[in-house]
């Protein structure tokens, strides 16, 4: 029954947006983009809150009128900022956080826009990067660790030169091209070419950029930071080819391939790999 309702919803959206685009393509594109940027999940469960309450400090920073919830576990060593992905929250990092604390790191994790206890109903890469810029300016981390879209937003942040304190970047299951993401969205909803053209026109007006400007491999090729790329060979959400593209354009990065972790990359071995990478140049005691 639930699947049938979802299929009817998709059919209705497809018919409405494709019809609207015949007369008002930018309006149809704006609506399609709003739907695309609205997370369905990412809120905190009781067990998530219980873990996040172990933080030494919870603080809200602000970008315009939006709050950014930050969780801070104090340690004597270098600062690491953890950046989650789509429909997730800061609690996804608890295994990594425990290991980082055991090694003396100073750890900060954030709830992204529209997720956890942060503000906004929308979630997109430019907004996430803008929020991260504020967090980086406040905590001055030496390292960033980002999962999925969180990794992509971190790459965009660094490519814009807005995180001068960061010397290391680890990305997990991170998509390579915004155009590929949008192509998948088009196929999923069955949107017409006019809807997608209208969406890109709206995107250009709002962000001053085209979809093709958001190319992860092109951005990392300009970075001077050391990198770690972790990706599962059988990731059903982001293809392994994206990791290979990053590796080919990022000579300072090491590619680590898993084979049973899926897209979440939250199982045994991954936290150890992340911590080992960060320890290589970290000032920890």
């Amino acid at each position: 029954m639930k699947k049938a309702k979802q299929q009817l919803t998709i059919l209705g959206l497809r018919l409405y947006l494709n019809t609207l685009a015949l007369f008002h393509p930018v309006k149809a594109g704006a609506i399609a983009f709003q739907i695309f940027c609205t997370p369905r999940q990412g809120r905190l469960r009781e067990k998530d809150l219980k873990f996040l309450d172990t933080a030494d400090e919870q603080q809200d920073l602000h970008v315009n009128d939006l709050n950014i919830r930050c969780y801070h576990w104090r340690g004597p060593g270098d600062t690491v900022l953890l950046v989650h992905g789509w429909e997730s929250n800061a609690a996804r990092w608890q295994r990594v956080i425990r290991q980082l604390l055991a090694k003396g790191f100073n750890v900060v994790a954030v709830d992204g826009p529209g997720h956890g206890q942060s503000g906004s109903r929308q979630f997109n890469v430019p907004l996430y990067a803008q929020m991260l810029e504020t967090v980086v300016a406040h905590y001055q981390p030496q390292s960033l660790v980002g999962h999925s879209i969180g990794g992509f937003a971190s790459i965009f942040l660094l490519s814009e030169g807005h995180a001068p304190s960061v010397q290391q970047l680890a990305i997990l299951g991170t998509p390579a091209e915004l155009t590929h993401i949008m192509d998948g969205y088009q196929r999923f909803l069955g949107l017409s070419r006019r809807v997608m053209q209208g969406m890109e026109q709206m995107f250009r007006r709002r962000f001053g950029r085209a979809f093709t400007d958001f190319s992860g491999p092109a951005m990392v090729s300009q970075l001077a930071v050391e990198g770690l790329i972790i990706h599962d060979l059988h990731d059903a959400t982001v293809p392994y080819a994206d990791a290979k593209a990053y590796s080919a354009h990022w000579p300072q990065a090491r590619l680590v391939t898993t084979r049973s972790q899926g897209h979440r990359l939250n199982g045994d071995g991954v936290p150890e790999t992340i911590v080992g990478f960060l320890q290589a140049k970290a000032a920890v005691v």
Side-chain angles (χ1 to χ4, degrees):
M1 180 66 73
K2 185 177 181 180
K3 186 176 181 180
K5 286 183 178 179
Q6 183 186 45
Q7 290 174 336
L8 284 173
T9 300
I10 292 172
L11 183 63
L13 284 171
R14 178 186 305 156
L15 180 63
Y16 171 68
L17 291 171
N18 288 345
T19 302
L20 180 62
L22 295 173
F23 307 98
H24 304 288
V26 176
K27 183 176 180 180
I31 295 170
F33 187 72
Q34 183 176 17
I35 295 169
F36 173 75
C37 293
T38 303
R40 298 164 298 173
Q41 304 173 38
R43 293 301 168 188
L44 292 160
R45 299 166 294 181
E46 185 176 348
K47 66 178 183 178
D48 296 332
L49 287 166
K50 186 176 180 180
F51 170 74
L52 293 172
D53 282 343
T54 67
D56 297 304
E57 178 186 54
Q58 296 188 33
Q59 178 177 201
D60 284 345
L61 302 180
H62 294 86
V63 173
N64 299 326
D65 59 344
L66 298 178
N67 73 292
I68 317 158
R69 178 59 57 90
C70 303
Y71 307 89
H72 184 191
W73 291 262
R74 295 189 183 91
D78 281 0
T79 301
V80 181
L81 175 60
L82 304 171
V83 185
H84 70 77
W86 177 254
E87 296 187 342
S88 185
N89 56 67
R92 68 106 43 218
W93 295 111
Q94 53 189 288
R95 294 189 67 183
V96 175
I97 289 169
R98 289 191 178 102
Q99 295 207 26
L100 286 171
L101 293 175
K103 298 298 183 180
F105 283 93
N106 187 51
V107 183
V108 179
V110 297
D111 286 333
H115 292 72
Q117 300 187 79
S118 288
S120 180
R121 292 186 176 183
Q122 295 286 291
F123 179 100
N124 58 65
V125 169
L127 176 60
Y128 206 177
Q130 184 182 20
M131 294 178 78
L132 291 175
E133 181 181 354
T134 297
V135 177
V136 167
H138 184 81
Y139 290 101
Q140 295 291 305
Q142 285 74 45
S143 304
L144 288 182
V145 181
H147 176 248
S148 194
I149 291 296
F152 199 90
S154 298
I155 290 168
F156 178 60
L157 174 74
L158 266 64
S159 73
E160 294 288 285
H162 295 322
S165 65
V166 174
Q167 303 164 14
Q168 295 173 296
L169 171 64
I171 58 172
L172 288 69
T174 296
E177 305 286 346
L178 181 57
T179 53
H180 295 172
I181 298 172
M182 302 314 296
D183 288 345
Y185 181 57
Q186 180 181 15
R187 289 192 298 270
F188 177 70
L189 281 187
L191 299 176
S192 70
R193 185 168 58 90
R194 287 180 66 86
V195 175
M196 300 307 294
Q197 288 173 338
M199 194 185 304
E200 181 146 20
Q201 288 182 51
M202 182 282 306
F203 191 85
R204 284 178 179 272
R205 291 177 186 177
R206 182 172 175 183
F207 300 114
R209 299 172 184 269
F211 291 155
T212 53
D213 293 331
F214 287 84
S215 170
M219 288 188 282
V220 297
S221 69
Q222 306 299 317
L223 300 183
V225 299
E226 292 193 7
L228 174 67
I229 305 160
I230 305 179
H231 212 108
D232 196 87
L233 188 63
H234 308 294
D235 189 329
T237 302
V238 178
Y240 183 71
D242 286 24
K244 297 290 285 184
Y246 277 117
S247 183
H249 288 79
W250 194 0
Q252 305 98 316
R254 177 168 64 101
L255 172 60
V256 174
T257 303
T258 64
R259 288 171 174 78
S260 60
Q261 299 273 349
H263 183 61
R264 285 184 58 78
L265 291 165
N266 221 358
D268 293 343
V270 173
E272 292 82 358
T273 300
I274 294 169
V275 173
F277 165 69
L278 298 178
Q279 275 189 298
K281 286 199 170 183
V284 293
V285 297

